Amino acid sequence: MTPPPTAGPLHGTRGVVLTQAWAGNWCTALLGMMGADVIQVEFRARPDSWRGDYGAPIMSGIRDSATAQHPWNCNPLYNSVSLNKRCITLDLGTSEGIDIFRRLVVFADFVAENFSPRVLGNLGIDYAALAQIKPDVIVASLSAYGHDGPWANVPGIGGTIEPTAGQSALLGYAGGVPLNSGQMYPDPVAGLYGVLGIVAALHHRERTGRGQYIDLSMQEANLSVVGDAALEFMTNGTQRPRLANRHTTFAPHGIFATLGTERWIALACETEAQWGALCETARHPEWRSDSRFATNAARKANEDALEAVIAAWAAEADRDDLAARLVTAGVLAAPVLDSLEVAQDAHLRARNVVREVDHPEVGRRLQSALPMHFSRTPATIVRHAPLQGQHTYEVLEELLGMGAAEVDELVRLGVSGIGPPDGVDVGAI
Amino acid sequence: MHAAPDGIHVLDISTTTAGAWCSRMLAALGADVVVVEPPSGHPLRTIAPFGPDGTSIPAAYWLADKRSVTIDLDSIEGQATARRLAGRVDILVSSYRPSELAARRLRYADLGATSLIMGHVTPHGMDGPLAEVPGNDLTDAARSGWASINGNIDREPLKPAAWGSSMCAGIAASSAIVAALFHRDRHPGEGQEVDVAEVDVLAGMFAPALARSTYANEVFRRRDATDTLGGPVPVKDGHFALTLSRAHFWRDAMNLLGLPDLAEDPRWGASFYRQQHRDEYMGRVTEAMAQWDKAELFEELAVRRVVAGPVLTMAELAVNEHLRSRGFWVRPEGDPTAPEMPGAPFKASATPLALRHRAPGPGEHTAEVLRDPEASV
């Protein structure tokens, strides 16, 4: 089968997924953007925390829009990490819901989830059970601490994995307290590794016909990305201090204030040529001959003094002018873009990594899309995050041959539907 | 790639952490990876800190499980050798900018192998206004927005810890390359170029902050306070993050901390409400937490199935009973004196990831790789 020219390398594969929040949702969204047909199954009684509480107010920037109707469809968190999926709702606490889920898995190449480890087993749909229905299925679990070991049932989220994966101890100002990132960095790390695990399993299955189970611990995945610091301890017995923006080897390597409020520039030199170019751009040739700064080793040994002279100079400069001059001179440099500037950044827009996406309730918005480009199998189709239950009728008819009346009956029974299930009082919040 | 009929062969001409981690992941999946080093040695070998034997510890992590061949890609002969090797592999990993590839005649078109998958892992990608601009982990954090939200609002922005940008680009690139292999298995002979930019991957990881900002047309900035909504706060013997997401986490944590009025008032169950009214409870919560040891608080919260994050150091993680029980720390197979290092980032039941070899010495495998021009690399 020849895929459509814009479908992506995973065209022709399908996932039936129970992912939620950030790590799981973004993992399966990336697979969807790479061409897989990803069917998100939502469990209304346990709403995705990234759709928000059912009674949460719609964000101020959206609230006055005539199309904005349901808070759970207007949450930027959910909508940002759920592109290219279809969404159905099923109450997995009912036998009808579980039955339909099992029937869908027959049509799936992969299943992914990021519940606590006990949940799939409790629902009777763990890997062993699903492999009975579909022997070559790939099941990926993204959990806080993995599915075995003493902490298997300890829950975690990005904000608690960052400290337990050794990252918070490394992030922060020199001499300051350990910090978490500005949003939960461990989640997208786990999401990326989840993509790797599932794609590698698809490749293996293509060659051998065999499925398998992927057990991803967010703690382990995140410890691996700071693994050089772990190996440093294992080799030298030392804990790397919090370095702020400094490099273990090169100087200068930092972020400095420029003219104005919240206008910062990042700059670094990894070679003597770059340092020479920086001194020239700064019109401070004497820095180069200063014995404290003459070599990288000297600059590293006198980094406080080095940063002081750079900071004093940068403080008088315009951020973007300075960044442009440094880049032209060959120095590693970049403006620190804020969140709205990133959305408008010419480079990211030119590469279609940030692009406009239409959404029925929130309108046309800039969003981050797939950060991978494929020359032969371009993956250029981008669809908005699904509304809750948007594709229930479509998917159940397409895969299971269910007529509208049958799905209507599921909705009447509360097995499917949209919004809070009966009995949930959103007004109480 | 385990159990693949013919094995997968990778040639890595990249010089960066992102490229090295990309090929390191391909090696972990079972591919044979040959890394090309210049006569002066791989640039990553200069990165501190160094071990007792004077070699780079980060390089030991990033270059493990690979074979090393010394080839001078700045020489005509070296470039010809690289082209010949590229014709014998499945995957070529590069971190060169477009002009650098052109100057070496190592562009995809120069290699003449349509079944080759060439993965470009560069700071800014192979096209777009910044394609020729050099970058690194720090500039990635700046251009992607991540620096603008990390740290405190009264201090400078912070990049992610360690090589937090490059490593993620390496993971993304390895998955894109395996997706291209999957396509080639389904459509024999169809190789392609895969272009993954570090700044793009970080911008993808920035998606929630970007969307929050564009929905509200308002910049999302660094925190103005370190409190339990944002990360670790002091406890008796260190720091502890209690970033509670769901209503029952809040209820059970507040009861444990001896704050039943906060636990039982249903208004506090909603996370948006807790965000808006944090001043009304934050002082009491942090004061209560300060009475606990981190291990004790973690254990009590774990029993109640509440998310909890003691700040752990590498010394604590090295002896952590959970990681030990999972067999996370590994030594290269057959190398019992090597220091342990982090093992597989995920467990795959049919194709377990392996760490087969310590990092090679510079050019350690040059003779065996170049000896037989007909053999696969």
Side-chain angles (χ1 to χ4, degrees), chain A residues 74-364:
Chain A
C74 295
N75 194 314
L77 300 183
Y78 179 83
N79 290 349
S80 69
V81 296
S82 305
L83 298 174
N84 278 31
K85 299 189 197 182
R86 299 198 279 177
C87 175
I88 70 172
T89 57
L90 284 178
D91 183 350
L92 298 180
T94 64
S95 57
E96 295 94 333
I98 286 291
D99 176 59
I100 291 169
F101 180 79
R102 289 165 179 269
R103 286 161 62 196
L104 289 172
V105 168
V106 173
F107 298 94
D109 300 288
F110 61 89
V111 172
E113 58 95 17
N114 56 317
F115 289 124
S116 296
R118 301 192 297 197
V119 173
L120 282 202
N122 289 348
L123 295 172
I125 51 172
D126 61 9
Y127 173 62
L130 295 180
Q132 296 276 322
I133 305 168
K134 168 83 172 164
D136 65 350
V137 73
I138 294 158
V139 176
S141 294
L142 282 61
S143 62
Y145 296 104
H147 275 232
D148 58 29
W151 290 7
N153 285 313
V154 177
I157 60 172
T160 60
I161 295 300
E162 204 162 350
T164 62
Q167 292 179 351
S168 303
L170 295 168
L171 182 68
Y173 301 99
V177 297
L179 297 178
N180 274 9
S181 54
Q183 56 183 358
M184 296 184 285
Y185 173 86
D187 278 84
V189 168
L192 287 170
Y193 272 129
V195 171
L196 178 60
I198 290 170
V199 173
L202 283 169
H203 176 249
H204 174 72
R205 197 188 69 157
E206 189 66 20
R207 293 190 156 199
T208 64
R210 293 175 59 202
Q212 61 178 311
Y213 179 58
I214 308 289
D215 169 18
L216 185 148
S217 149
M218 282 181 71
Q219 182 196 29
E220 292 170 356
N222 276 280
L223 188 42
S224 96
V225 301
V226 293
D228 55 286
L231 184 57
E232 178 179 351
F233 174 79
M234 293 296 198
T235 306
N236 288 349
T238 48
Q239 167 74 28
R240 187 178 300 169
R242 289 183 274 283
L243 295 173
N245 293 310
R246 289 184 178 182
H247 194 277
T248 60
T249 309
F250 302 116
H253 197 278
I255 292 179
F256 301 90
T258 64
L259 279 176
T261 305
E262 276 292 296
R263 303 280 287 178
W264 304 90
I265 189 165
L267 62 87
C269 297
E270 295 184 352
T271 65
E272 295 307 320
Q274 288 170 346
W275 171 241
L278 187 151
C279 297
E280 208 155 291
T281 305
R283 298 200 183 88
H284 280 291
E286 77 282 6
W287 290 351
R288 223 179 162 180
S289 47
D290 189 323
S291 61
R292 295 172 303 165
F293 310 143
T295 63
N296 183 67
R299 291 192 294 279
K300 197 70 195 154
N302 298 291
E303 202 161 2
D304 287 343
L306 175 71
E307 290 183 352
V309 299
I310 291 174
W313 156 67
E316 302 299 319
D318 174 75
R319 183 194 73 174
D320 291 343
D321 173 64
L322 183 54
R325 286 191 290 130
L326 287 170
V327 163
T328 302
V331 179
L332 298 170
V336 175
L337 301 183
D338 70 35
S339 52
L340 284 178
E341 290 174 320
V342 173
Q344 298 295 349
D345 180 66
H347 185 70
L348 295 169
R349 297 289 291 277
R351 285 174 60 77
N352 268 327
V353 165
V354 174
R355 61 165 80 190
E356 289 185 322
V357 179
D358 281 314
H359 183 285
E361 292 202 22
V362 302
R364 196 171 181 80

Side-chain angles (χ1 to χ4, degrees), chain A residues 153 173 182 215 224 339 347 376, chain B residues 61 150 156 191 213 305 326:
Chain A
N153 285 313
Y173 301 99
D215 169 18
S224 96
S339 52
H347 185 70
R376 191 189 287 272
Chain B
Y61 185 54
N150 276 348
E156 72 271 26
S213 290
R305 305 189 44 71
R326 300 249 308 159

Side-chain angles (χ1 to χ4, degrees), chain B residues 180-367:
Chain B
L181 270 179
F182 174 80
H183 174 84
R184 196 183 72 169
D185 276 3
R186 290 193 156 188
H187 305 274
E190 293 197 357
Q192 59 182 314
E193 285 182 279
V194 175
D195 171 11
V196 175
E198 297 170 21
V199 71
D200 292 356
V201 173
L202 269 282
M205 296 170 67
F206 194 66
L210 189 147
R212 277 171 61 168
S213 290
T214 55
Y215 276 36
N217 198 28
E218 194 175 288
V219 173
F220 175 47
R221 294 197 191 280
R222 300 187 297 296
R223 298 193 180 97
D224 56 9
T226 302
D227 59 35
T228 63
L229 291 176
V233 297
V235 291
K236 257 190 199 170
D237 59 344
H239 292 82
F240 198 101
L242 195 60
T243 51
L244 303 171
S245 47
R246 291 183 176 273
H248 62 277
F249 294 154
W250 169 265
R251 187 192 61 224
D252 294 346
M254 292 308 113
N255 274 325
L256 175 68
L257 290 171
L259 302 168
D261 57 314
L262 291 177
E264 301 308 333
D265 184 337
R267 288 177 306 164
W268 299 108
S271 59
F272 72 89
Y273 191 85
R274 293 200 299 275
Q275 286 275 0
Q276 288 168 356
H277 299 268
R278 67 182 190 185
D279 293 347
E280 296 173 34
Y281 62 87
M282 200 56 79
R284 295 175 62 200
V285 173
T286 45
E287 194 181 318
M289 287 176 67
Q291 310 308 311
W292 290 77
D293 290 327
K294 63 184 182 186
E296 194 187 7
L297 185 54
F298 179 69
E299 274 165 34
E300 290 296 329
L301 288 166
V303 167
R304 288 162 177 78
R305 305 189 44 71
V306 175
V307 295
V311 174
L312 301 179
T313 62
M314 291 304 173
E316 290 166 319
L317 288 163
V319 297
N320 178 272
E321 57 161 349
H322 177 69
L323 292 172
R324 288 283 157 198
S325 161
R326 300 249 308 159
F328 177 65
W329 299 105
V330 294
R331 292 188 169 89
E333 289 165 13
D335 205 347
T337 61
E340 290 179 307
M341 64 172 88
F346 53 83
K347 293 186 174 185
S349 64
T351 55
L353 280 65
L355 176 65
R356 289 165 296 180
H357 309 291
R358 63 171 173 76
E364 184 178 334
H365 305 92
T366 303

